Structure formats: structure tokens, C-alpha cells
Amino acid sequence: MIDTDFLQADEQALAQRFIDDGFVTTPADDRAGLDRIQRRAAELAADYLKLPHSNDPYAMLDTIHTRVSVDDLNGLRLHVFNGLNAEPWFRPTYFRLARSTIETIVGNELCMQRRVNLSIQMPGDDSSLLATHSDVWSGDSPFEVVVWVPLVDVHRTKAMYLLPPSLNGDMQDRMASLRSAEQLYKTIQPHATFIEIPYGHVMLFNQTLMHGNRVNEETGTRWSMNCRFKSIMSPYADKRFGEFFEPILLRPATRVGMQYKLPGGFHG
Amino acid sequence: MAERAGHRGYIGARPLNGSRTPQHVQNIVIRDYARRKNLQYLLSAVEHIMPGSYMVLEDIVDELPRLNGLILYSIFMLPPDEARRREIYDRVLREGCDLHAAVEEIALSSRNDIQAVEDILLVNKFATIL
């Protein structure tokens, strides 16, 4: 139970779901913005493959495995990643997809990862998997959250898996006795949940929990984006302010406070 | 045998010899090394920040049958325990792979190269850097 009377009932419910489940999924706050991102990603993919732009960006992305080889996949991914991140509207739009949820879970003075990541998981491809991990283990602060946005429907192995908060601590305690991340996955596998997210929805998850993905055994290609947000004044880890994060919302009271100097010149 | 994929990068979040290098800079150094040595660079794996964890390195070693080798950001990212390092060298060479360290521009591709790598690690362990 979140012990506060200062939140609205819907905010309390959202906060409780995040604490209990380790994630929340909600419809995108800015659906038109999400469609714009999806359309631009499909256009960039078509440009890379020297194809005409499609009138059906969803189908273009979901069936990309019929048009590109595994060897060329990272080239395609980098082209779309760089193209999206070069658009001046992209990061503000990405933030707006989940703004209400971010502000409820994290706060309203925020910094954001400088480049939004892009993953493409084609059916049967084992070349770009993410082994079981917590982001904190690779230098992220436990005060961060991840906003994870699919550009197609995701379910089962086309999605990512997450270990529930109730089990994460016990599994971490056993971790030092394991040799590799693959062994770790085999240990948590019975408890890991693949999260179903239809296109049009976004997920915000607790990246201190173990998560990752497996070979996509579904029929369509997964396209997903992820980006970290944190309260600007909360502690940082190896992913530093300035080099990895940049401020996106800093309120006037904080600006005033940072600039204030007490009167000087006393000689008592 | 299936075609091998290239060289996997290996970076970390722990300080090395008291210094910290941002992860994207580690990747730039590895990518530049791979380009200059005509190696196909594969996206880096990031070692855990917890002291003494080499789980991610072990995953790369398990992946070696499908790789040409690995490129460490630095030779000082290898485990401090000599026996554990020698296990890694053995597995790299047994799989017909090689091991590179980008900062030090070191390549280990045969048994003859092991002593040179070990000399650097051991001297660094005992020597004082002012």
C-alpha cells in the first residue's frame, strides 16, 4: 500500500501496480505521436532497403524479416536508430507517449537518456539477444525507470521477459554461485513473465528487476524502443548526467535554488 | 561448421586502475581498433558492475564457437586470478579464436603470446604508478 493521501486514486493504483508487478502498461498518452514514430521508422527502413515507402507501416515493420538478412540487420537498425534520433521532434514525442505515467512513478523534474535505443528481433534470429540482466548491473542507477515502446504487437517470445519483484531478491542472492548469464536465465525461467503489449500501448518498468529476451519464435518481427528516465536530483551511477542523461524538465524553484548564494562579508 | 560472425566487444562499468571511461567511449575505442585491424566488430557486451563478477565474459567465452574472437576494451578487464585467466586463454585458442585488447593494442592469437600478456598484468599488479 502506498502510504499517502496526496495522490489521486488513479495515481495510487498505478504506483501500487508498479511496486507489486515491476511494470505498468498503458495506452500511449499521444497516440498520434506514436503513429508518427512508427511511420518514420518504416520510412527509414524502406530507404535503407531501397524500397518505396509503404502505406502500411505496421506491416512493413512486422514483416521486415522477409526483406533483410541477419547479416544486414545491424546496418538497418543503425540507419533507423540514427534517423529517428536525428529528428528534432522525436525525443519530445517519445516522452509525451508516457508523460503521465513517468510523472506519477518518477516525478516531474526529469532527465532523459540522450539517445532512444532501438531493438529489432526477427523470427529465429539469435544474433542480437539480451541475456538476463538488471540495468543496474551494467552501470545504471536504481533510481531510473525504462519506458519501453513496441512499434508492433508483442507477445510471448516476441516480447521481453521480466522477473517479478517478489522473486528478484532471492534470485540475486543466488547469483554469485552461477557461472554465466545463461545459467542465470535457466534458474529464473520458470518465474519469468513475457509481457504482452499491443501496439498503441507503452510500458514503464523497474529496470532493477532481471529481464531480457529470447529467440523470437513468433511469426512477426519485434520492433521496440527503450529509453531511461530519472528524477534529475536522484543519485547517478556509471551512466552519468551530461554524458548519458540530459535534463528535460527543470522547474523554476530548482533553478532559483541552484543559483542562490547566501549573503557574505560577515566578519564575526 | 557454421560461418563465424566476427569479434564480440567487451566493455565494463567498473573503474580500471582507478580510472573510469564512459561506456560509449569504450565502444568508440573498440570500434576504431576493429576498423584499423580489419576485424568485424559485433556489439559489445557490458560486464556487471559488481566487483568480481565475470558472468558476461563467461557468456562471450561460451559464444566463441560462433565468433572469430573477442575485443576487450582493456587487458586489465581480465579476471585478477591467473588460473582463471589461463582458462580463458585456453578456451579462446582451443576454439581457433583470438583475443584483443583495444587500449593496449594487444592481440593474443597463439600460446606464444600468453607470456607477454601475463607480464603486463603482473607488472601492473606490483609496480607503483605515480
Side-chain angles (χ1 to χ4, degrees), chain A residues 149-230:
Chain A
V149 180
L151 296 178
V152 292
D153 296 338
V154 298
H155 56 284
R156 294 193 292 270
T157 55
K158 193 179 175 185
M160 56 163 273
Y161 63 82
L162 187 70
L163 189 66
S166 57
L167 297 167
N168 198 68
D170 287 345
M171 293 297 172
Q172 284 204 170
D173 289 345
R174 295 162 60 180
M175 200 177 137
S177 65
L178 303 173
R179 195 182 62 85
S180 65
E182 182 61 20
Q183 271 193 352
L184 179 60
Y185 175 71
K186 289 190 166 62
T187 307
I188 70 163
Q189 184 178 14
H191 315 288
T193 307
F194 283 89
I195 300 167
E196 185 164 323
I197 311 173
Y199 174 69
H201 286 61
V202 302
M203 173 170 67
L204 188 148
F205 76 93
N206 171 354
Q207 42 85 55
T208 70
L209 303 174
M210 295 184 204
H211 60 280
N213 65 298
R214 305 298 288 178
V215 172
N216 174 4
E217 293 172 347
E218 317 311 318
T219 54
T221 295
R222 185 244 276 185
W223 289 70
S224 63
M225 300 176 296
N226 67 80
C227 185
R228 283 149 194 82
F229 293 85
K230 70 189 287 293

Coordinates of all heavy atoms in Angstrom, one line a residue, chain A residues 149-230:
Chain A
V149 N 8.7 0.8 -25.6 CA 7.6 1.1 -26.5 C 7.7 0.2 -27.8 O 8.7 0.3 -28.5 CB 7.6 2.6 -27.0 CG1 6.5 2.8 -28.0 CG2 7.5 3.5 -25.8
P150 N 6.8 -0.8 -28.0 CA 6.8 -1.6 -29.2 C 6.2 -0.8 -30.3 O 5.2 -0.1 -30.2 CB 6.0 -2.8 -28.8 CG 5.0 -2.3 -27.8 CD 5.7 -1.2 -27.0
L151 N 6.7 -1.1 -31.5 CA 6.1 -0.5 -32.8 C 5.2 -1.5 -33.5 O 4.7 -1.2 -34.5 CB 7.2 0.0 -33.7 CG 8.1 1.2 -33.1 CD1 9.2 1.5 -34.1 CD2 7.2 2.4 -32.8
V152 N 5.1 -2.7 -32.9 CA 4.2 -3.7 -33.4 C 3.6 -4.4 -32.2 O 4.1 -4.2 -31.1 CB 5.0 -4.8 -34.3 CG1 5.4 -4.2 -35.6 CG2 6.1 -5.4 -33.5
D153 N 2.6 -5.2 -32.3 CA 2.1 -6.0 -31.2 C 3.2 -7.0 -30.7 O 3.9 -7.6 -31.6 CB 0.9 -6.9 -31.6 CG -0.3 -6.1 -32.1 OD1 -0.4 -4.9 -31.7 OD2 -1.1 -6.7 -32.8
V154 N 3.4 -7.1 -29.4 CA 4.3 -8.1 -28.9 C 3.7 -9.0 -27.9 O 2.8 -8.6 -27.1 CB 5.6 -7.4 -28.3 CG1 6.3 -6.6 -29.3 CG2 5.2 -6.6 -27.1
H155 N 4.1 -10.3 -28.0 CA 3.5 -11.3 -27.1 C 4.5 -12.5 -27.1 O 5.3 -12.6 -28.0 CB 2.1 -11.7 -27.5 CG 2.1 -12.2 -28.9 ND1 2.2 -11.4 -30.0 CD2 2.1 -13.5 -29.4 CE1 2.2 -12.1 -31.1 NE2 2.2 -13.4 -30.8
R156 N 4.4 -13.3 -26.0 CA 5.3 -14.5 -25.9 C 6.7 -14.1 -26.2 O 7.2 -13.1 -25.7 CB 4.8 -15.6 -26.7 CG 3.4 -16.2 -26.2 CD 3.0 -17.5 -26.8 NE 2.8 -17.4 -28.2 CZ 1.5 -17.2 -28.8 NH1 0.5 -17.0 -28.0 NH2 1.4 -17.1 -30.0
T157 N 7.4 -14.9 -27.0 CA 8.9 -14.7 -27.2 C 9.2 -13.5 -28.1 O 10.3 -13.1 -28.2 CB 9.6 -15.9 -27.8 OG1 8.8 -16.3 -29.0 CG2 9.6 -17.1 -26.8
K158 N 8.1 -12.9 -28.7 CA 8.3 -11.6 -29.4 C 8.4 -10.4 -28.5 O 8.8 -9.3 -28.9 CB 7.1 -11.5 -30.4 CG 7.3 -10.4 -31.4 CD 6.1 -10.3 -32.3 CE 6.1 -9.2 -33.4 NZ 4.9 -9.1 -34.1
A159 N 8.1 -10.7 -27.2 CA 8.2 -9.6 -26.2 C 9.5 -9.8 -25.4 O 10.3 -10.6 -25.7 CB 7.0 -9.7 -25.3
M160 N 9.6 -9.0 -24.3 CA 10.7 -9.2 -23.3 C 10.1 -9.9 -22.1 O 8.9 -9.8 -21.8 CB 11.3 -7.9 -23.0 CG 10.4 -6.8 -22.4 SD 11.3 -5.5 -21.6 CE 11.4 -6.2 -19.9
Y161 N 11.0 -10.5 -21.3 CA 10.5 -11.1 -20.1 C 11.0 -10.3 -18.9 O 12.0 -9.6 -19.0 CB 10.9 -12.6 -20.0 CG 12.4 -12.8 -19.9 CD1 13.2 -12.7 -18.7 CD2 13.1 -13.2 -21.1 CE1 14.5 -12.9 -18.7 CE2 14.5 -13.4 -21.1 CZ 15.2 -13.2 -19.9 OH 16.6 -13.4 -19.8
L162 N 10.3 -10.5 -17.8 CA 10.6 -9.7 -16.5 C 10.4 -10.7 -15.4 O 9.4 -11.4 -15.3 CB 9.7 -8.5 -16.4 CG 10.0 -7.5 -15.3 CD1 11.3 -6.7 -15.6 CD2 8.9 -6.5 -15.2
L163 N 11.3 -10.6 -14.4 CA 11.1 -11.4 -13.2 C 10.4 -10.5 -12.2 O 10.7 -9.4 -11.9 CB 12.5 -11.7 -12.6 CG 12.5 -12.7 -11.5 CD1 12.0 -14.1 -11.9 CD2 13.9 -12.9 -10.9
P164 N 9.3 -11.1 -11.5 CA 8.5 -10.3 -10.6 C 9.3 -9.8 -9.4 O 10.3 -10.5 -9.0 CB 7.4 -11.3 -10.1 CG 7.5 -12.4 -11.1 CD 8.8 -12.5 -11.7
P165 N 9.0 -8.7 -8.8 CA 9.7 -8.1 -7.7 C 9.8 -9.1 -6.5 O 10.8 -9.1 -5.8 CB 8.9 -6.9 -7.3 CG 8.1 -6.5 -8.5 CD 7.9 -7.8 -9.3
S166 N 8.7 -9.9 -6.3 CA 8.7 -10.8 -5.2 C 9.8 -11.9 -5.2 O 10.2 -12.5 -4.2 CB 7.3 -11.5 -5.1 OG 7.1 -12.2 -6.3
L167 N 10.3 -12.1 -6.4 CA 11.4 -13.2 -6.6 C 12.7 -12.6 -6.9 O 13.7 -13.3 -6.8 CB 11.0 -14.1 -7.7 CG 9.7 -14.9 -7.5 CD1 9.2 -15.6 -8.8 CD2 9.9 -16.0 -6.4
N168 N 12.8 -11.4 -7.2 CA 14.1 -10.8 -7.7 C 15.2 -10.9 -6.6 O 16.3 -11.2 -6.9 CB 13.9 -9.4 -8.2 CG 15.0 -8.9 -9.1 OD1 15.1 -9.4 -10.2 ND2 15.8 -8.0 -8.6
G169 N 14.8 -10.5 -5.4 CA 15.9 -10.5 -4.4 C 16.5 -11.9 -4.1 O 17.7 -12.0 -4.0
D170 N 15.6 -12.9 -4.0 CA 16.1 -14.3 -3.8 C 17.0 -14.7 -4.9 O 18.0 -15.3 -4.7 CB 14.9 -15.2 -3.7 CG 14.1 -15.1 -2.4 OD1 14.7 -14.4 -1.5 OD2 13.0 -15.6 -2.3
M171 N 16.6 -14.4 -6.1 CA 17.4 -14.8 -7.3 C 18.8 -14.1 -7.3 O 19.8 -14.7 -7.6 CB 16.7 -14.6 -8.6 CG 15.4 -15.4 -8.7 SD 15.9 -17.2 -8.8 CE 14.2 -17.9 -8.8
Q172 N 18.8 -12.8 -6.9 CA 20.0 -12.1 -6.9 C 21.0 -12.7 -5.8 O 22.2 -12.7 -6.0 CB 19.8 -10.6 -6.5 CG 19.3 -9.8 -7.7 CD 19.5 -8.3 -7.6 OE1 19.3 -7.6 -8.5 NE2 20.0 -7.8 -6.4
D173 N 20.4 -13.1 -4.7 CA 21.2 -13.7 -3.6 C 21.9 -15.0 -4.1 O 22.9 -15.4 -3.6 CB 20.3 -14.0 -2.4 CG 19.9 -12.8 -1.7 OD1 20.4 -11.7 -2.0 OD2 18.9 -12.9 -0.9
R174 N 21.3 -15.7 -5.1 CA 21.9 -17.0 -5.6 C 22.8 -16.8 -6.7 O 23.5 -17.7 -7.2 CB 20.7 -17.9 -6.0 CG 19.9 -18.3 -4.8 CD 18.5 -18.9 -5.3 NE 18.7 -20.1 -6.2 CZ 17.6 -20.7 -6.7 NH1 16.4 -20.3 -6.5 NH2 17.9 -21.8 -7.5
M175 N 22.9 -15.6 -7.2 CA 23.6 -15.3 -8.5 C 25.1 -15.5 -8.5 O 25.6 -16.1 -9.4 CB 23.3 -13.8 -8.8 CG 23.4 -13.5 -10.2 SD 23.0 -11.7 -10.3 CE 24.3 -11.2 -11.4
A176 N 25.7 -15.2 -7.4 CA 27.2 -15.3 -7.3 C 27.7 -16.7 -7.5 O 28.8 -17.0 -7.8 CB 27.7 -14.7 -6.0
S177 N 26.8 -17.7 -7.2 CA 27.2 -19.1 -7.4 C 27.0 -19.6 -8.8 O 27.3 -20.8 -9.1 CB 26.4 -20.0 -6.4 OG 25.0 -20.0 -6.8
L178 N 26.5 -18.8 -9.7 CA 26.3 -19.2 -11.1 C 27.4 -18.7 -11.9 O 28.0 -17.7 -11.6 CB 24.9 -18.7 -11.6 CG 23.7 -19.1 -10.7 CD1 22.5 -18.3 -11.2 CD2 23.5 -20.6 -10.8
R179 N 27.7 -19.4 -13.0 CA 28.8 -19.1 -13.9 C 28.5 -18.0 -14.9 O 29.4 -17.2 -15.2 CB 29.3 -20.4 -14.5 CG 30.7 -20.3 -15.1 CD 31.1 -21.6 -15.8 NE 30.2 -21.9 -16.9 CZ 30.4 -21.4 -18.2 NH1 31.4 -20.6 -18.5 NH2 29.5 -21.8 -19.1
S180 N 27.3 -18.1 -15.5 CA 27.1 -17.2 -16.7 C 25.6 -16.7 -16.7 O 24.8 -17.2 -15.9 CB 27.3 -18.0 -18.0 OG 26.3 -19.1 -18.1
A181 N 25.4 -15.7 -17.5 CA 24.0 -15.2 -17.6 C 23.0 -16.2 -18.1 O 21.9 -16.2 -17.8 CB 24.0 -13.9 -18.4
E182 N 23.5 -17.1 -19.0 CA 22.6 -18.2 -19.5 C 22.2 -19.1 -18.4 O 21.0 -19.5 -18.3 CB 23.3 -18.9 -20.6 CG 22.5 -20.0 -21.3 CD 21.2 -19.5 -21.9 OE1 21.1 -18.3 -22.2 OE2 20.3 -20.3 -22.2
Q183 N 23.1 -19.4 -17.5 CA 22.8 -20.2 -16.3 C 21.8 -19.5 -15.4 O 20.8 -20.1 -14.9 CB 24.0 -20.5 -15.4 CG 24.7 -21.8 -15.8 CD 25.8 -22.2 -14.8 OE1 26.0 -21.4 -13.8 NE2 26.4 -23.3 -14.9
L184 N 21.9 -18.2 -15.3 CA 21.0 -17.4 -14.5 C 19.6 -17.5 -15.2 O 18.6 -17.6 -14.5 CB 21.5 -15.9 -14.5 CG 20.7 -14.9 -13.7 CD1 20.5 -15.4 -12.3 CD2 21.3 -13.5 -13.8
Y185 N 19.5 -17.4 -16.5 CA 18.2 -17.5 -17.2 C 17.6 -18.8 -16.9 O 16.4 -18.9 -16.5 CB 18.3 -17.3 -18.7 CG 17.0 -17.5 -19.3 CD1 16.0 -16.5 -19.2 CD2 16.7 -18.6 -20.1 CE1 14.7 -16.7 -19.7 CE2 15.4 -18.8 -20.6 CZ 14.5 -17.9 -20.4 OH 13.2 -18.1 -21.0
K186 N 18.3 -19.9 -16.9 CA 17.7 -21.2 -16.7 C 17.2 -21.3 -15.3 O 16.2 -22.0 -15.0 CB 18.8 -22.3 -16.9 CG 19.1 -22.4 -18.4 CD 19.9 -23.7 -18.7 CE 20.0 -24.0 -20.2 NZ 20.6 -23.0 -21.0
T187 N 17.8 -20.5 -14.3 CA 17.4 -20.5 -12.9 C 16.1 -19.8 -12.8 O 15.2 -20.2 -12.1 CB 18.5 -19.9 -12.0 OG1 19.7 -20.6 -12.3 CG2 18.1 -20.0 -10.6
I188 N 16.0 -18.7 -13.5 CA 14.7 -17.8 -13.3 C 13.6 -18.2 -14.3 O 12.5 -17.7 -14.1 CB 15.1 -16.3 -13.4 CG1 15.4 -16.0 -14.9 CG2 16.2 -15.9 -12.5 CD1 15.3 -14.5 -15.1
Q189 N 13.9 -19.0 -15.3 CA 13.0 -19.2 -16.4 C 11.6 -19.6 -15.9 O 10.6 -19.0 -16.5 CB 13.5 -20.3 -17.3 CG 12.7 -20.6 -18.5 CD 13.3 -21.7 -19.4 OE1 14.2 -22.4 -19.0 NE2 12.8 -21.8 -20.6
P190 N 11.4 -20.5 -14.9 CA 10.0 -20.8 -14.6 C 9.2 -19.7 -14.0 O 8.0 -19.7 -14.0 CB 10.2 -21.9 -13.5 CG 11.6 -22.4 -13.6 CD 12.4 -21.2 -14.1
H191 N 9.9 -18.6 -13.6 CA 9.2 -17.5 -12.9 C 9.1 -16.2 -13.8 O 8.5 -15.3 -13.4 CB 10.0 -17.1 -11.6 CG 10.3 -18.3 -10.8 ND1 9.4 -19.1 -10.1 CD2 11.5 -18.9 -10.6 CE1 10.0 -20.1 -9.5 NE2 11.3 -20.0 -9.8
A192 N 9.8 -16.2 -14.9 CA 9.9 -15.0 -15.8 C 8.6 -14.9 -16.6 O 8.1 -15.9 -17.1 CB 11.1 -15.1 -16.7
T193 N 8.1 -13.7 -16.7 CA 6.9 -13.5 -17.5 C 7.2 -12.7 -18.7 O 7.8 -11.6 -18.7 CB 5.9 -12.6 -16.6 OG1 5.8 -13.3 -15.3 CG2 4.6 -12.5 -17.2
F194 N 6.7 -13.2 -19.9 CA 6.8 -12.4 -21.1 C 5.6 -11.5 -21.1 O 4.5 -11.9 -21.0 CB 6.8 -13.4 -22.3 CG 8.1 -14.0 -22.6 CD1 8.4 -15.3 -22.0 CD2 9.1 -13.4 -23.4 CE1 9.6 -15.9 -22.2 CE2 10.3 -14.1 -23.6 CZ 10.6 -15.3 -23.0
I195 N 5.9 -10.2 -21.3 CA 4.8 -9.2 -21.2 C 4.2 -8.9 -22.5 O 4.8 -8.5 -23.5 CB 5.4 -7.9 -20.6 CG1 6.0 -8.3 -19.2 CG2 4.4 -6.8 -20.4 CD1 6.9 -7.2 -18.6
E196 N 2.9 -9.1 -22.5 CA 2.1 -8.8 -23.8 C 1.7 -7.4 -23.9 O 1.2 -6.8 -22.9 CB 0.8 -9.7 -23.7 CG 0.0 -9.6 -25.0 CD -1.0 -10.7 -25.1 OE1 -0.7 -11.9 -24.6 OE2 -2.1 -10.5 -25.5
I197 N 2.1 -6.7 -25.0 CA 1.8 -5.3 -25.2 C 1.3 -5.1 -26.6 O 2.0 -5.3 -27.5 CB 3.0 -4.4 -24.9 CG1 3.7 -4.8 -23.6 CG2 2.6 -2.9 -24.9 CD1 5.0 -4.1 -23.4
P198 N 0.0 -4.7 -26.7 CA -0.4 -4.4 -28.1 C 0.1 -3.1 -28.6 O 0.4 -2.2 -27.8 CB -2.0 -4.3 -27.9 CG -2.2 -4.0 -26.5 CD -1.0 -4.5 -25.7
Y199 N 0.3 -3.0 -29.9 CA 0.7 -1.7 -30.5 C -0.3 -0.6 -30.0 O -1.5 -0.8 -30.0 CB 0.8 -1.7 -32.0 CG 1.1 -0.4 -32.6 CD1 2.3 0.2 -32.4 CD2 0.1 0.4 -33.2 CE1 2.6 1.5 -32.8 CE2 0.4 1.6 -33.7 CZ 1.6 2.2 -33.5 OH 1.9 3.5 -34.0
G200 N 0.2 0.6 -29.7 CA -0.6 1.6 -29.2 C -0.4 1.8 -27.7 O -0.9 2.8 -27.1
H201 N 0.2 0.8 -27.0 CA 0.4 0.9 -25.6 C 1.9 1.1 -25.3 O 2.8 0.7 -26.2 CB -0.1 -0.4 -24.9 CG -1.5 -0.5 -24.8 ND1 -2.4 -0.5 -25.9 CD2 -2.4 -0.5 -23.7 CE1 -3.6 -0.6 -25.5 NE2 -3.7 -0.6 -24.2
V202 N 2.2 1.5 -24.1 CA 3.6 1.7 -23.7 C 3.8 1.0 -22.4 O 2.8 0.8 -21.6 CB 4.0 3.2 -23.6 CG1 3.8 3.9 -24.9 CG2 3.3 3.9 -22.5
M203 N 5.0 0.6 -22.1 CA 5.3 0.0 -20.8 C 6.4 0.8 -20.1 O 7.3 1.3 -20.7 CB 5.9 -1.4 -21.0 CG 6.3 -2.0 -19.7 SD 6.7 -3.8 -19.7 CE 8.1 -3.8 -20.8
L204 N 6.2 1.0 -18.8 CA 7.2 1.6 -17.9 C 7.6 0.5 -16.9 O 6.7 -0.1 -16.3 CB 6.7 2.8 -17.3 CG 7.7 3.7 -16.5 CD1 7.2 5.1 -16.5 CD2 7.7 3.2 -15.0
F205 N 8.9 0.1 -16.9 CA 9.3 -1.0 -16.0 C 10.5 -0.6 -15.1 O 11.2 0.3 -15.3 CB 9.4 -2.3 -16.7 CG 10.7 -2.5 -17.5 CD1 11.8 -3.1 -16.9 CD2 10.8 -2.0 -18.8 CE1 13.0 -3.2 -17.7 CE2 12.0 -2.2 -19.5 CZ 13.1 -2.8 -19.0
N206 N 10.5 -1.4 -14.0 CA 11.6 -1.3 -13.0 C 12.8 -2.1 -13.5 O 12.8 -3.3 -13.5 CB 11.0 -1.9 -11.7 CG 12.0 -2.0 -10.6 OD1 13.2 -1.8 -10.8 ND2 11.6 -2.4 -9.4
Q207 N 13.8 -1.3 -13.9 CA 15.0 -2.0 -14.5 C 16.0 -2.5 -13.5 O 17.0 -3.0 -13.9 CB 15.6 -1.0 -15.5 CG 15.8 0.4 -15.0 CD 17.0 0.7 -14.2 OE1 18.1 0.3 -14.6 NE2 16.8 1.2 -13.0
T208 N 15.6 -2.5 -12.2 CA 16.4 -3.2 -11.3 C 16.0 -4.7 -11.3 O 16.8 -5.5 -10.8 CB 16.3 -2.7 -9.8 OG1 15.0 -3.0 -9.3 CG2 16.5 -1.2 -9.7
L209 N 14.9 -5.0 -11.9 CA 14.4 -6.4 -11.9 C 15.1 -7.1 -13.1 O 15.4 -6.5 -14.1 CB 12.9 -6.5 -12.1 CG 12.1 -5.8 -11.1 CD1 10.6 -5.8 -11.5 CD2 12.3 -6.5 -9.7
M210 N 15.4 -8.4 -12.9 CA 16.0 -9.2 -14.0 C 15.1 -9.2 -15.2 O 13.9 -9.5 -15.1 CB 16.3 -10.6 -13.6 CG 17.4 -10.6 -12.5 SD 17.8 -12.3 -12.1 CE 18.4 -12.1 -10.4
H211 N 15.6 -9.0 -16.4 CA 14.8 -9.1 -17.6 C 15.7 -9.4 -18.8 O 17.0 -9.4 -18.7 CB 14.1 -7.8 -17.9 CG 15.0 -6.6 -18.0 ND1 15.5 -5.9 -16.9 CD2 15.4 -5.9 -19.0 CE1 16.3 -4.9 -17.3 NE2 16.2 -4.8 -18.6
G212 N 15.2 -9.6 -20.0 CA 15.9 -9.9 -21.2 C 15.0 -10.4 -22.2 O 13.8 -10.2 -22.2
N213 N 15.6 -11.0 -23.3 CA 14.7 -11.6 -24.3 C 15.3 -12.9 -24.8 O 16.5 -13.2 -24.6 CB 14.4 -10.6 -25.4 CG 15.6 -10.2 -26.2 OD1 16.6 -9.7 -25.7 ND2 15.7 -10.6 -27.5
R214 N 14.5 -13.7 -25.5 CA 15.0 -15.0 -26.1 C 14.8 -14.9 -27.6 O 14.2 -13.9 -28.1 CB 14.2 -16.1 -25.4 CG 14.2 -16.2 -24.0 CD 15.6 -16.4 -23.4 NE 16.1 -17.8 -23.6 CZ 17.3 -18.2 -23.3 NH1 18.2 -17.3 -22.7 NH2 17.7 -19.4 -23.5
V215 N 15.1 -16.0 -28.2 CA 14.9 -16.0 -29.7 C 13.4 -15.9 -30.0 O 12.6 -16.5 -29.3 CB 15.4 -17.3 -30.3 CG1 15.0 -17.4 -31.7 CG2 17.0 -17.4 -30.1
N216 N 13.1 -15.0 -30.9 CA 11.7 -14.7 -31.2 C 11.1 -15.9 -32.0 O 11.5 -16.1 -33.2 CB 11.6 -13.4 -32.0 CG 10.3 -13.1 -32.6 OD1 9.3 -13.8 -32.3 ND2 10.2 -12.0 -33.3
E217 N 10.2 -16.6 -31.4 CA 9.7 -17.8 -32.1 C 8.3 -17.6 -32.7 O 7.6 -18.5 -33.0 CB 9.6 -19.0 -31.1 CG 11.0 -19.5 -30.7 CD 11.0 -20.5 -29.6 OE1 10.0 -20.6 -28.9 OE2 12.1 -21.1 -29.3
E218 N 7.9 -16.3 -32.7 CA 6.6 -15.9 -33.3 C 6.8 -15.7 -34.8 O 7.9 -15.8 -35.3 CB 6.0 -14.8 -32.5 CG 6.1 -14.8 -31.0 CD 5.7 -16.1 -30.4 OE1 4.7 -16.7 -30.8 OE2 6.4 -16.6 -29.4
T219 N 5.7 -15.3 -35.4 CA 5.8 -15.1 -36.9 C 6.3 -13.7 -37.3 O 6.7 -13.6 -38.5 CB 4.5 -15.4 -37.5 OG1 3.5 -14.6 -36.9 CG2 4.1 -16.9 -37.4
G220 N 6.1 -12.7 -36.5 CA 6.4 -11.4 -36.9 C 7.7 -10.9 -36.3 O 8.2 -11.4 -35.3
T221 N 8.3 -9.8 -36.8 CA 9.5 -9.2 -36.2 C 9.1 -8.2 -35.1 O 8.2 -7.4 -35.3 CB 10.3 -8.4 -37.3 OG1 10.7 -9.4 -38.3 CG2 11.4 -7.6 -36.8
R222 N 9.9 -8.3 -34.1 CA 9.6 -7.3 -33.0 C 10.4 -6.0 -33.2 O 11.7 -6.1 -33.4 CB 10.0 -7.9 -31.6 CG 9.7 -7.0 -30.4 CD 10.9 -6.5 -29.7 NE 11.3 -7.5 -28.7 CZ 12.3 -7.3 -27.8 NH1 12.9 -6.1 -27.8 NH2 12.6 -8.2 -27.0
W223 N 9.8 -4.9 -33.2 CA 10.5 -3.6 -33.2 C 10.1 -2.9 -31.9 O 8.9 -2.7 -31.6 CB 10.0 -2.7 -34.3 CG 10.4 -3.1 -35.7 CD1 10.0 -4.2 -36.4 CD2 11.3 -2.4 -36.5 NE1 10.6 -4.3 -37.6 CE2 11.4 -3.2 -37.7 CE3 12.1 -1.3 -36.4 CZ2 12.2 -2.8 -38.8 CZ3 12.9 -0.9 -37.5 CH2 13.0 -1.6 -38.7
S224 N 11.1 -2.6 -31.1 CA 10.8 -1.9 -29.8 C 11.9 -0.8 -29.5 O 13.0 -1.0 -30.0 CB 10.7 -2.9 -28.7 OG 12.0 -3.5 -28.5
M225 N 11.4 0.2 -28.8 CA 12.4 1.2 -28.4 C 12.4 1.3 -26.9 O 11.4 0.9 -26.2 CB 11.9 2.6 -28.9 CG 11.8 2.6 -30.4 SD 11.1 4.2 -31.0 CE 9.5 4.1 -30.3
N226 N 13.5 1.7 -26.4 CA 13.6 1.8 -24.9 C 14.4 3.1 -24.6 O 15.4 3.4 -25.3 CB 14.2 0.6 -24.2 CG 15.6 0.3 -24.6 OD1 16.5 0.9 -24.0 ND2 15.9 -0.6 -25.5
C227 N 14.0 3.7 -23.5 CA 14.7 4.9 -23.0 C 14.5 5.1 -21.5 O 13.5 4.8 -21.0 CB 14.1 6.1 -23.8 SG 14.9 7.7 -23.4
R228 N 15.6 5.6 -20.9 CA 15.6 5.7 -19.4 C 15.3 7.1 -19.0 O 15.8 8.1 -19.6 CB 16.9 5.2 -18.9 CG 17.1 3.7 -18.9 CD 18.5 3.2 -19.0 NE 18.4 1.8 -19.3 CZ 18.1 1.3 -20.6 NH1 18.0 2.1 -21.6 NH2 17.9 0.0 -20.8
F229 N 14.5 7.2 -17.9 CA 14.2 8.5 -17.3 C 14.5 8.4 -15.8 O 14.3 7.3 -15.2 CB 12.7 8.8 -17.5 CG 12.3 9.0 -18.9 CD1 12.0 8.0 -19.7 CD2 12.2 10.3 -19.4 CE1 11.6 8.2 -21.1 CE2 11.8 10.5 -20.7 CZ 11.5 9.5 -21.5
K230 N 14.9 9.5 -15.2 CA 15.1 9.5 -13.8 C 14.8 10.9 -13.2 O 14.9 11.9 -14.0 CB 16.4 9.0 -13.3 CG 17.6 9.9 -13.7 CD 18.9 9.1 -13.4 CE 19.2 9.0 -11.9 NZ 19.5 10.3 -11.3

